[in-house]
Structure formats: C-alpha cells, structure tokens
C-alpha cells in the first residue's frame, strides 16, 4: 500500500505540456510564510561573530584529510552552522529585501530546519538546540542530564512541508527532499573546510529522529509541523567515541523541554492532503545499513584559487544567463562532472550505491559537439541505461577520465528550454542536465527510499553549485520540468527510470537593479 501511495503521488505530481501539477490558483506575495522559525520560551545561546575566513582553498576539499582539524568549540560549531545553513547575503530592490543562504532552496522558501545536538561537550550544555540562521543563535529546546557521555555533536534536519506547498502545491514534497540533499551537501562542504567529516546516521527511523528533535511534541501549529529527515554525526577527529543511540534517545525523552514554535504567520488558504499522505507512506523505519566501501578515485584538479569559505559564501542561484556566452573550457566541464562522481570526496558521506545518473544537454563546451550526452555514475548502470533509452543513441565514450558518453549530436537548446518548463536558463547556459533515477526497483524494495533518491539529486546539485562558482560560472537547480516529456526524448517507456531534478550552468547576467547587502549586517545595525 505504501509503495502504491508513493507511486500515485509521483505520477500525479508530474508536470506535463498539457497541464502543471496542482498548485495554488493565486499567491499573495505579501503573505509568505516566515522563512525563520523561532521557538518562544527557550534559552538563547548567542554564537560568536559570523563571517570567519578560513585558510583552506576550495581545491583542498578534494583531499579533506590534509586539512588540519579545528578544535570543537562554540565558535567553530557556530561556523559549521553558518557555512552550512547560515545567511550569505541580503538582496534589496526598492522596499523589498530578502535573505540568501549558503544552502539553496526552491523558491527561496527554506523548508529545511537545522538542529544541533550536544552530547556533553564542554563548551555548551548537553541537549537539543534549534539553529536560527537570521540571528546566528541557538534556541535550547531540550536540556539533557549532566551525566550524558560526550560523543561530540550531531546535526538533525527536518522539513516544514507547508512552507514549500504555499507556493508549489502538491509538488512541494519533492522540493523539500531536494532541499535536504542540498543541505547535506552544504553540511559536508562546511565540515570539510573545518577539517571535519559527516557521518549519516542512516539506521535511524523517522520516529527516532522525531523523538530526538522534539518533533513529536505538541509544540507546533497544526499545519506548520516539521517532518523528520536525517541525523548526521560530525566527526572532528579528536573525539570519535562510540555513539549510544539508545542512551541518546532516552536522554531526549527524559530531558527538560522548553519552547513553543511561533506561527509562521501566512494564511493557510490551500490544503494539500496528498503531501501528508505521501509523507506517511514514505516514513522510514529502523534499518540495517551496510557500510559503503567505495574507494576514492583521483579527481580532475580544480583550477580555483579561492578559499573554500569564499566559494561557499558567494554561491548564488542564477536568474538568467548570457545566451551569447563563449564556450566554457572542456577541462572545467570535465572537472564539474568528475566532482559529482560517487568516488569523489564530496560523496564520502553518501552510504549507498549511486542511483542517480545524468543526461546532459551540451550547448557551449569547447571541443564537444552540441548534443545529448550521458554520465552513468555507476558502471553497472551503463547497460541498463542503454537498454532503457533510444536505440538511435550511439553511446560513444568521449573521455578517458570520465564515463561520459555521446548519444546524439545537434542543437538541443530549444529542447532543453521546452523540457524545463520553457525556461531560458536551460538553453542560454553552457549546459543543462536531467538527473535520472533508478526508480521502479528502488521504490519496490522500500517506499521510503523515494525521499533518498531526491536527496542524492540535491547532493549532486549542491556540488554543481559550488563547482560552477569555482569555475567562474553559476548554477541553478530546476525543479520545474515536464517529467514524461523528458522520458520521451530519452526513450524511457516505464518507471524503471524517472527524471527527478534538472540543473543548468552558465555565465550569469547580473541584475544591476538589485543591491547586495552583508549577510549579518543587521546584527551590527548596518542593515
């Protein structure tokens, strides 16, 4: 039943050339949900001043083990949260002002909430803390008993589905999962910059996570509740004591909880019960998860000379591209693709075999004929992809360094634009791509893995965002595309494979009408 509910949701929320998935008939832009959740009645921990610059170069993150680990203290824990989930800038146009963050979000709505769990660290009381990116502060939701064993810190992520549904209606559940993947990527890059690493606590059930983060408590307005997603352990390489999950959950259940979630204020004009239905059907139980034994492979070296903190903070989503841009260097294109392979350092936190493969519309890349290309991210997937797609595709390997295959030559700019809901960012770029998932068998084996497929897409997207910045370009995630039209172009006839996300990279055109303001100037009275 759960499997069928997930499949029904997926099919019903497809966009098509004839109709878009169900969404609000009208939007009151003055009545957006509050992007910044607050819990009233909590003790506030103000984190040290944000904006610290660190020495490691972005290119150094290919070999994170060479970066000296920073000590685990309040300043560095705060820096981890800032670089992963904090503000990167404010934009202003006339009287309107809005925040940008290091982790991107569909429609800049930010359904993802982040929590820090301290297990007896000397710099902060043990307990559960909600991170408020606007204030760069922590709200203590739960205080554990003082005798809890120190196992470092954990980061918990959850989603407020209604924040996304306010604009996108039924398709919002998909976008929330994309955002979790982006958040995981942002957390990995932030941790690596500090010389730390991230371990996904993949065995945990959603119910476990809800109990730890207090999401099962009656502290939320009915339609503004948070759904549990993932808990990550941060390894600082100085305190790798075993983590006692049972003791941690017991500490949360017996701890002293405080605070109530403030209303997100916007009026709930539309109801989308199908989102709650699929969220229930995709609920994850406790599982046994094998350790992934993938060996990191040498990667095409980045030419970027900027620091990692600079690249992380300058990441933006391009709104439009220069459609007359010259071709980008082939080495930059290959570097971006190499960075999203499962054997690259950015994917060391990912504990499962890759299920997402890329079909790329190349428009402007030196030395490559415009057309359609494929990047199977797993060797075993090659034959399955060949069998599932058009017989006319020639599948000619074009690189010794990458499993990149030429499929079809031709100007595909109009096709790419049409498939991505007629958006010029898919055609005016250097290249755009569709992320195609090994879908049917994955959902058949476990319906909750539906969410994980989108997470993997978001992780790929976050890597491409940062790699684009490092190459002097810019990226944009595209959640709006015509699902089955993509499948038709590729020759996919059933649900063995499904397209779950699009992305595009090019030379951005800056809107000079917009003023850029410092990320945390408001804390100093500047903004």
């Amino acid at each position: 039943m759960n499997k069928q509910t997930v499949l029904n949701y997926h099919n019903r929320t497809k966009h098509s050339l004839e109709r878009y998935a169900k969404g609000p008939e009208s939007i009151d832009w003055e009545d957006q949900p509050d992007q910044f959740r607050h819990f009233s009645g909590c003790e506030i921990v103000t984190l040290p001043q944000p904006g610290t610059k660190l020495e490691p170069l972005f290119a150094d993150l290919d070999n994170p083990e060479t970066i000296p680990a920073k000590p685990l203290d309040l300043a560095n824990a705060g820096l981890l949260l800032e670089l992963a989930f904090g503000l990167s800038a404010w934009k202003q146009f006339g009287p309107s002002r809005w925040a940008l963050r290091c982790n991107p979000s569909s429609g800049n709505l930010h359904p993802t909430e982040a929590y820090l769990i301290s297990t007896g660290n000397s710099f902060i009381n043990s307990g559960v803390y909600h991170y408020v990116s606007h204030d760069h502060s922590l709200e203590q939701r739960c205080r554990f008993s003082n005798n809890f064993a120190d196992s470092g810190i954990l980061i918990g992520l959850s989603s407020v589905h209604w924040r996304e549904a306010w604009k996108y209606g039924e398709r919002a559940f998909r976008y929330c999962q994309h955002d979790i993947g982006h958040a995981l990527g942002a957390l990995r890059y932030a941790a690596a910059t500090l010389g730390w690493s991230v371990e996904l606590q993949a065995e945990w059930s959603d119910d476990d996570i809800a109990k730890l983060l207090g999401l099962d408590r009656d502290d939320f307005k009915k339609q503004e509740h948070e759904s549990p997603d993932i808990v990550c352990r941060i390894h600082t390489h100085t305190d790798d004591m075993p983590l006692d999950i049972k003791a941690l959950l017991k500490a949360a259940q017996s701890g002293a909880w405080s605070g109530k979630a403030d209303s997100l204020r916007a009026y709930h004009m539309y109801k989308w019960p199908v989102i709650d239905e699929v969220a229930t059907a995709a609920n994850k139980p406790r599982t046994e998860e094998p350790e992934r034994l993938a060996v990191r492979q040498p990667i095409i070296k980045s030419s970027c000379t900027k620091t990692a903190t600079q690249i992380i903070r300058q990441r933006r989503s391009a709104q439009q591209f220069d459609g007359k841009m010259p071709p980008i260097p082939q080495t930059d294109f290959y570097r971006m693709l190499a960075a999203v392979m499962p054997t690259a350092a950015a994917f060391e936190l990912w504990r499962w075999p890759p299920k997402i493969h890329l079909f790329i519309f190349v428009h402007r890349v030196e030395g490559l004929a415009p057309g359609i290309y494929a990047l199977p991210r797993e060797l075993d997937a090659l034959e399955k992809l060949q069998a599932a797609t058009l017989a006319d595709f020639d599948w000619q390997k074009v690189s010794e360094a990458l499993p990149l295959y030429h499929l079809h030559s031709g100007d595909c700019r109009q096709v790419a634009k049409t498939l991505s809901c007629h958006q010029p960012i898919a055609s005016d770029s250097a290249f755009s791509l569709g992320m195609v998932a090994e879908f049917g068998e994955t959902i058949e084996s476990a319906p909750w893995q539906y969410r994980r497929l989108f997470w993997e897409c978001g992780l790929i997207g976050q890597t491409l965002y940062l790699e684009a910045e490092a190459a002097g370009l810019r990226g944009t995630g595209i959640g709006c595309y015509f699902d089955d039209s993509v499948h038709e172009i590729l020759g996919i006839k059933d649900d063995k494979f499904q397209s779950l996300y699009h992305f595009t990279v090019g030379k951005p055109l800056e809107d000079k009408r917009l003023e850029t303001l410092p990320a945390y100037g408001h804390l100093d009275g500047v903004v």
Side-chain angles (χ1 to χ4, degrees):
M1 181 62 183
N2 285 347
K3 179 194 74 172
Q4 196 58 50
T5 299
V6 169
L7 291 176
N8 288 345
Y9 169 80
H10 183 72
N11 288 321
R12 117 180 227 158
T13 57
K14 288 179 176 180
H15 289 321
S16 72
L17 287 164
E18 293 76 30
R19 61 156 187 85
Y20 287 90
K22 290 183 179 179
E25 296 177 4
S26 62
I27 293 177
D28 181 357
W29 294 102
E30 300 301 318
D31 191 40
Q32 293 189 47
D34 192 339
Q35 291 185 358
F36 303 106
R37 164 145 278 170
H38 290 272
F39 288 89
S40 295
C42 293
E43 180 180 334
I44 306 298
V45 178
T46 301
L47 295 167
Q49 182 85 8
T52 299
K53 299 176 182 178
L54 298 178
E55 292 181 0
L57 300 178
F58 181 77
D60 294 337
L61 302 190
D62 288 347
N63 300 288
E65 67 278 358
T66 65
I67 299 174
K70 293 289 186 182
L72 178 56
D73 55 26
L74 191 63
N76 287 325
L79 186 55
L80 174 77
L81 292 167
E82 180 209 341
L83 291 174
F85 315 115
L87 307 188
S88 57
W90 288 85
K91 291 289 186 178
Q92 183 160 329
F93 178 66
S96 299
R97 184 164 61 91
W98 60 96
L100 306 179
R101 300 196 204 182
C102 294
N103 61 312
S105 169
S106 301
N108 202 32
L109 294 167
H110 292 284
T112 307
E113 294 293 337
Y115 293 81
L116 181 143
I117 300 94
S118 168
T119 61
N121 309 116
S122 59
F123 63 89
I124 193 170
N125 292 325
S126 59
V128 179
Y129 297 81
H130 172 246
Y131 178 57
V132 183
S133 59
H134 181 277
D135 304 334
H136 192 53
S137 65
L138 295 169
E139 299 170 328
Q140 184 168 26
R141 288 278 286 134
C142 179
R143 182 186 289 268
F144 298 160
S145 60
N146 293 329
N147 59 357
F148 191 83
D150 181 3
S151 302
I153 60 171
L154 298 95
I155 301 295
L157 300 178
S158 66
S159 297
V160 184
H161 296 152
W162 177 73
R163 263 207 194 110
E164 207 70 23
W166 172 83
K167 179 178 180 182
Y168 294 112
E170 292 187 349
R171 201 169 165 99
F173 183 77
R174 296 177 175 218
Y175 299 163
C176 289
Q177 310 313 314
H178 284 154
D179 282 7
I180 289 293
H182 280 290
L184 289 174
L187 183 62
R188 177 269 159 185
Y189 278 97
T193 304
L194 288 155
W196 302 348
S197 61
V198 179
E199 178 192 0
L200 303 188
Q201 302 298 295
E203 297 80 8
W204 290 42
S205 70
D206 286 348
D207 290 346
D208 290 336
I209 299 169
K211 289 174 182 175
L212 177 63
L213 303 184
L215 309 184
D216 60 345
R217 298 174 57 80
D218 188 24
D219 294 336
F220 301 87
K221 190 174 178 179
K222 183 179 179 182
Q223 289 179 308
E224 298 175 3
H225 67 276
E226 296 175 24
S227 295
D229 286 305
I230 192 75
V231 169
C232 309
R233 186 179 182 188
I234 306 300
H235 289 282
T236 61
H237 308 296
T238 56
D239 53 1
D240 290 334
M241 294 176 58
L243 179 66
D244 188 336
I245 297 175
K246 290 183 179 179
L248 187 59
L249 289 174
K250 184 177 179 181
Q253 288 178 291
S254 62
W257 286 86
S258 59
K260 288 268 190 182
D262 293 349
S263 170
L264 298 178
R265 295 200 300 268
Y267 180 64
H268 296 256
M269 182 178 295
Y270 298 96
K271 309 293 190 296
W272 309 107
V274 69
I275 292 178
D276 290 333
E277 291 171 10
V278 71
T280 300
N283 183 275
K284 182 188 177 297
R286 286 191 188 181
T287 53
E288 295 287 335
E289 299 287 344
E291 289 294 330
R292 179 168 169 255
L293 300 176
V295 178
R296 191 194 309 164
Q297 298 293 323
I299 190 172
I300 298 168
K301 187 172 176 57
S302 173
S303 60
C304 181
T305 58
K306 292 183 177 181
T307 64
T309 50
Q310 187 175 355
I311 291 294
I312 288 170
R313 289 183 175 123
Q314 77 175 50
R315 186 217 62 81
R316 304 283 187 270
S317 294
Q319 302 303 308
Q320 55 182 334
F321 289 125
D322 180 358
K324 298 180 180 180
M325 65 175 289
I328 65 171
Q330 188 179 102
T331 52
D332 288 345
F333 178 63
Y334 284 172
R335 159 69 195 190
M336 284 183 257
L337 297 186
V340 302
M341 292 299 291
T343 51
F347 290 81
E348 286 184 332
L349 85 169
W350 195 251
R351 293 179 54 178
W352 309 283
K355 298 290 186 183
I356 305 299
H357 312 287
L358 309 186
F359 285 85
I360 308 164
F361 299 98
V362 170
H363 307 316
R364 302 171 179 87
V365 177
E366 284 182 356
L368 286 182
I372 305 175
Y373 294 74
L375 185 78
R377 295 178 61 248
E378 176 84 322
L379 182 61
D380 292 345
L382 176 58
E383 289 187 7
K384 292 186 288 186
L385 289 168
Q386 288 174 322
T389 53
L390 291 177
D392 292 344
F393 288 162
D394 59 26
W395 289 93
Q396 292 297 308
K397 200 162 186 283
V398 298
S399 169
E400 291 300 319
L402 289 166
L404 181 65
Y405 295 84
H406 172 273
L407 305 185
H408 169 79
S409 290
D411 185 344
C412 293
R413 287 177 294 179
Q414 187 58 49
V415 171
K417 177 181 175 179
T418 300
L419 292 178
S420 291
C421 296
H422 310 292
Q423 297 179 80
I425 53 173
S427 57
D428 291 344
S429 56
F431 66 93
S432 62
L433 57 86
M435 302 184 198
V436 173
E438 298 178 30
F439 189 82
E441 292 180 3
T442 303
I443 306 304
E444 180 73 35
S445 64
W448 52 265
Q449 292 190 28
Y450 182 64
R451 293 154 61 201
R452 187 188 290 173
L453 292 175
F454 285 99
W455 296 359
E456 188 176 347
C457 290
L459 182 54
I460 292 169
Q462 187 66 11
T463 304
L464 288 173
Y465 262 123
L466 296 176
E467 289 292 337
E469 295 289 343
L473 301 167
R474 186 145 288 171
T476 294
I478 302 176
C480 186
Y481 55 86
F482 299 125
D483 301 56
D484 287 337
S485 295
V486 176
H487 304 147
E488 184 179 355
I489 288 290
L490 298 178
I492 295 171
K493 292 183 171 61
D494 54 33
D495 71 358
K496 186 175 291 185
F497 292 96
Q498 292 282 285
S499 183
L500 299 187
Y501 196 19
H502 284 200
F503 203 90
T504 184
V505 173
K507 179 183 177 182
L509 289 176
E510 301 292 345
D511 189 340
K512 293 184 168 38
R513 299 173 301 168
L514 303 184
E515 184 180 2
T516 301
L517 304 169
Y520 286 100
H522 56 285
L523 300 185
D524 302 319
V526 176
V527 180

